């Protein structure tokens, strides 16, 4: 039988750690043939290239080089540039991960050409449609033929939306596959001592959601209690490009706030693993801290990853300075606990995905 030709898509930083284990598992299967397309949504050394190197992701077959633009322009450019690639390569299936603009655009493009779409990390919902990622998740799941779910809430949400059970597969979390595969190397980078830190003696901060960083008042509000924390504990803050300029103009700083360039995967994971606590508005860090047992304070009013709250270390503190301050105090006072990871966050999610893809057998067999 001819192998199933799977075209994998990556675009932005959080996609890279999700695609790496899937490509590696797919590579081992004689029943699958893989092609990788990078949309170029993230393109610079620190946001993209370094991740290919560290995670041994093969060179993409095609780079659409779309770069940064407004949501409409970026999505439109990906649609326009991805269509000829699909027409040329005619894959049997397009596999997309996560919830970035590249995920939405490539799913839509494939669906319009009647090419089946597999969505990894399907079913997550923040129920907040002001988040661009929520729109991306809803649209991608609506056109997907195979929905790979990372946590129980995803199953419930898709059922609620009437997605047939036959399309849905609870496989676990591929980002955690990557964490398990790279944690020993990440620890071996010696990042903690290189940054002049003590294990358990510092906090990690990331902030890039438009609602937190685009308006100077919002940024100042959310940073207020963190600047207080930085006076007693070093806070390492790898600054996302979106946040960089706003932060520079804000003049906000504190002696212990260590702003650094965006870090590579291994260096960031090495630091996160030994942190006393993490403060973040990212989705992936809520998941990684859950598995690492590092307390996580999420600077958002909602999460599309509720298992990190029910089974993990995550606390939703929102953006009110008083609530963030209280969450920091509680995290610093609590002893560190080792928790059972959420179901199927065991390092084998990508293998389960590949098993399902293998059962698709010949092209367009079960659409
Ligand atoms: C995107 C994703 C978000 C994800 C985040 C991780 C969407 C809607 N958002 O947000 O879900 O959590 O990536 O980083 O897809 N820039 C660079 N270098 C790059 C890429 C971007 O300097 O390689 C700068 C550009 O000035 C750009 C800004 O960062 O305007 C924001 O990039 P963009 O891709 O628009 O969105 P993110 O905020 O990164």
């Amino acid at each position: 039988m001819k192998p199933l030709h799977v075209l994998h898509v990556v675009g932005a930083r959080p996609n890279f750690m999700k695609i790496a284990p899937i490509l590696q598992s797919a590579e081992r299967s004689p029943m699958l043939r893989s092609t990788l397309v990078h949309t170029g949504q993230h393109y610079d050394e620190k946001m993209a290239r370094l991740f290919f190197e560290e995670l041994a992701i093969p060179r993409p077959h095609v780079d659409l080089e779309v770069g940064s633009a407004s949501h409409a322009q970026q999505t439109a450019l990906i649609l326009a540039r991805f269509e000829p690639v699909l027409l040329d390569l005619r894959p049997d299936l397009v596999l997309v991960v996560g919830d970035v603009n590249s995920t939405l655009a490539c799913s839509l493009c494939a669906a319009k050409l009647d090419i089946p779409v597999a969505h990894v990390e399907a079913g997550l919902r923040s129920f907040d449609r002001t988040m661009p990622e929520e729109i991306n998740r809803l649209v991608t799941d609506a056109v997907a033929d195979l929905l790979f779910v990372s946590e129980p809430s995803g199953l419930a949400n898709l059922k609620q939306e009437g997605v047939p059970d036959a399309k849905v597969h609870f496989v676990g979390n591929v980002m955690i596959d990557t964490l398990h595969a790279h944690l020993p190397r990440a620890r071996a980078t010696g990042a903690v001592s290189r940054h002049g830190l003590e294990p358990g003696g510092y906090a990690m901060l990331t902030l890039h959601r438009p609602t937190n960083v685009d308006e100077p008042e919002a940024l100042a509000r959310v940073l207020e209690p963190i600047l207080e924390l930085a006076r007693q504990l070093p806070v390492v803050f790898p600054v996302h490009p979106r946040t960089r300029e706003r932060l520079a103009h804000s003049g906000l700083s504190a002696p212990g706030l260590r702003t650094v360039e965006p870090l590579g995967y291994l260096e960031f994971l090495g630091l996160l693993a030994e942190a006393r606590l993490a403060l973040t508005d990212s989705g992936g860090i809520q998941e990684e801290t859950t598995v690492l047992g590092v307390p996580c304070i999420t600077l958002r009013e909602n999460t599309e990853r509720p298992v990190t709250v029910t089974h993990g270390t995550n606390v939703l503190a929102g953006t009110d300075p008083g609530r963030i301050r209280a969450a920091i105090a509680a995290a610093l006072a609590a002893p560190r606990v080792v928790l059972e990871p959420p179901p199927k966050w065991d390092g084998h999610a990508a293998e389960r995905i590949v098993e399902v893809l293998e059962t698709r057998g010949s092209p367009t067999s079960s659409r």
Side-chain angles (χ1 to χ4, degrees):
M1 194 171 63
K2 206 160 117 292
L4 189 82
H5 180 195
V6 180
L7 190 153
H8 308 252
V9 174
V10 288
R13 186 171 59 175
N15 293 164
F16 304 129
M17 25 309 203
K18 295 171 192 168
I19 215 72
I22 301 174
L23 279 173
Q24 276 150 20
S25 285
E27 206 51 50
R28 287 195 290 270
S29 169
M31 293 159 81
L32 303 179
R33 177 162 77 86
S34 296
T35 301
L36 178 65
V37 171
H38 180 23
T39 65
Q41 176 176 344
H42 285 173
Y43 45 86
D44 66 26
E45 177 65 29
K46 297 202 167 77
M47 297 297 287
R49 249 165 277 153
L50 188 54
F51 290 80
F52 277 81
E53 213 178 282
E54 289 186 337
L55 303 175
I57 301 172
R59 236 181 115 85
H61 186 84
V62 184
D63 187 338
L64 304 178
E65 295 181 348
V66 298
S68 303
S70 72
H71 283 259
Q73 286 170 352
Q74 190 175 62
T75 306
L77 210 53
I78 300 171
L79 276 163
R81 292 191 183 171
F82 192 48
E83 187 180 51
V85 175
L86 287 181
L87 290 172
D88 177 33
L89 298 177
R90 282 275 159 203
D92 300 316
L93 184 103
V94 168
L95 182 142
V96 295
V97 296
D99 55 14
V100 302
N101 287 344
S102 303
T103 313
L104 161 80
C106 293
S107 318
L108 205 51
C109 199
K112 292 267 185 170
L113 291 174
D114 202 23
I115 298 171
V117 172
H119 182 207
V120 176
E121 219 179 74
L124 297 183
R125 299 287 180 268
S126 65
F127 303 100
D128 173 3
R129 292 200 181 191
T130 66
M131 270 181 93
E133 293 81 5
E134 183 74 351
I135 307 297
N136 294 345
R137 291 189 277 262
L138 284 161
V139 176
T140 303
D141 284 344
V143 299
D145 303 88
L146 276 175
L147 296 98
F148 292 116
V149 173
S150 59
E151 65 161 78
S153 74
L155 292 175
N157 294 333
L158 294 174
K159 194 172 247 336
Q160 174 77 20
E161 290 169 20
V163 178
D165 287 348
K167 290 183 170 188
V168 179
H169 301 270
F170 181 30
V171 292
N173 191 328
V174 286
M175 195 170 226
I176 301 306
D177 291 7
T178 298
L179 185 149
H180 283 303
H182 293 277
L183 190 55
R185 270 176 75 211
R187 290 191 194 276
T189 59
V192 177
S193 57
R194 206 172 43 254
H195 283 259
L197 300 162
E198 294 288 332
Y202 60 94
M204 293 296 291
L205 167 67
T206 79
L207 267 184
H208 75 282
R209 297 266 159 232
T211 49
N212 278 337
V213 304
D214 283 3
E215 298 299 326
E217 298 76 29
L219 183 61
R221 236 169 93 77
V222 80
L223 278 179
E224 183 190 307
I226 299 169
L227 296 178
E228 289 165 20
L229 171 68
R231 293 193 182 95
Q232 63 177 95
L233 198 71
V235 176
V236 182
F237 183 14
V239 185
H240 187 280
R242 180 176 205 103
T243 317
R244 195 187 297 137
E245 223 173 295
R246 278 94 170 175
L247 190 68
H249 282 130
S250 74
L252 295 162
S253 70
L257 186 70
R258 312 239 194 123
T259 53
V260 295
E261 289 286 302
L263 301 174
Y265 181 73
L266 295 176
E267 188 167 12
F268 186 81
L269 182 61
L271 288 171
L272 190 64
E274 298 297 338
R276 180 70 190 84
L277 79 153
L279 298 123
T280 191
D281 60 5
S282 141
I285 294 170
Q286 297 171 45
E287 299 183 332
E288 290 164 343
T289 47
T290 280
V291 170
L292 294 168
V294 172
C296 178
I297 297 176
T298 293
L299 307 164
R300 289 173 44 192
E301 299 297 340
N302 51 54
T303 179
E304 60 288 336
R305 295 162 159 90
V307 81
T308 61
V309 176
T310 55
H311 287 60
T313 55
N314 191 17
V315 172
L316 278 186
T319 55
D320 171 68
R323 277 177 63 202
I324 299 170
R325 203 173 283 123
I328 291 173
L332 292 178
R336 193 159 162 173
V337 287
V338 180
L339 300 161
E340 272 292 297
K344 301 198 187 185
W345 290 24
D346 57 0
H348 300 288
E351 291 158 33
R352 292 184 197 105
I353 290 172
V354 164
E355 276 167 25
V356 175
L357 295 178
E358 287 175 340
T359 64
R360 298 278 298 184
S362 59
T364 61
S365 59
S366 56
R367 196 169 186 202

